[in-house]
Amino acid sequence: MPKDNSTESAAKSGVQVIKFGDPANEWHDYGDMPGDRTPGNPIGQHASVWKSADGRVTVGLWRRDADFGDLLGTGQCFDFVIEGDVTVTDQHGVSHVANSGDLLIYNEKDEGSWEQPGPIRKIFIHVRD
C-alpha cells in the first residue's frame, strides 16, 4: 500500500526510546512565564521530541527546579509527572496533587495556581485546536 504523505508525522519511522537524560535531547530555556512567583525565577527547560505534521500536537520533556505561579497551558494539556510533585489549586479553590507516576490533565481555559516546591521532570502532550 503506498504511503500517504499528507498524514505523515514529524516523527522518525520505527521504534524509538527517548531517555530523559540523553545528552542528544535539545533542551531550550522556556524563559519568563506570565504570573511566575518563583523566588529567583529559575528558568524551566523543555525538549520537544515529537510534533504532528499539522503542528497541533506536541510531545516533549520538561524540567524545572521549582515553580510557583499561574496555571498555564496551550490547548489541552496532559502532564505525566516522572519525578517530583505539584499542587494545582483550581479557580474554585480545590487542590489537585500530582506526584511521581501521576497524570495531570488541564486545559488552557482552566484558571488556578501551580505550586511546585522542588524539582520536577515530566512528559507533556499539548493538543491545540
Side-chain angles (χ1 to χ4, degrees):
M1 179 192 264
K3 189 174 190 176
D4 178 3
N5 289 331
S6 66
T7 59
E8 185 174 278
S9 72
K12 297 176 186 174
S13 62
V15 176
Q16 298 176 51
V17 174
I18 298 169
K19 306 259 184 203
F20 204 96
D22 188 337
N25 291 335
E26 293 184 31
W27 291 97
H28 301 280
D29 289 347
Y30 205 77
D32 290 330
M33 295 190 288
D36 197 339
R37 298 183 300 278
T38 310
N41 193 16
I43 298 298
Q45 294 184 312
H46 72 281
S48 293
V49 297
W50 186 87
K51 192 173 271 194
S52 64
D54 63 4
R56 290 185 56 232
V57 180
T58 302
V59 178
L61 310 174
W62 172 263
R63 63 187 181 191
R64 189 170 181 184
D65 287 338
D67 189 1
F68 298 91
D70 296 340
L71 177 64
L72 300 172
T74 305
Q76 185 65 50
C77 303
F78 304 89
D79 291 348
F80 180 73
V81 180
I82 297 171
E83 181 180 294
D85 60 86
V86 61
T87 300
V88 171
T89 303
D90 66 25
Q91 65 267 32
H92 306 292
V94 178
S95 293
H96 308 270
V97 178
N99 298 302
S100 297
D102 292 341
L103 178 63
L104 176 63
I105 301 172
Y106 54 100
N107 189 285
E108 67 184 1
K109 296 176 185 172
D110 290 325
E111 295 179 10
S113 65
W114 180 281
E115 307 290 327
Q116 173 204 319
I120 197 168
R121 296 186 328 158
K122 64 182 182 175
I123 297 168
F124 67 84
I125 301 170
H126 292 170
V127 181
R128 294 168 188 84
D129 292 330

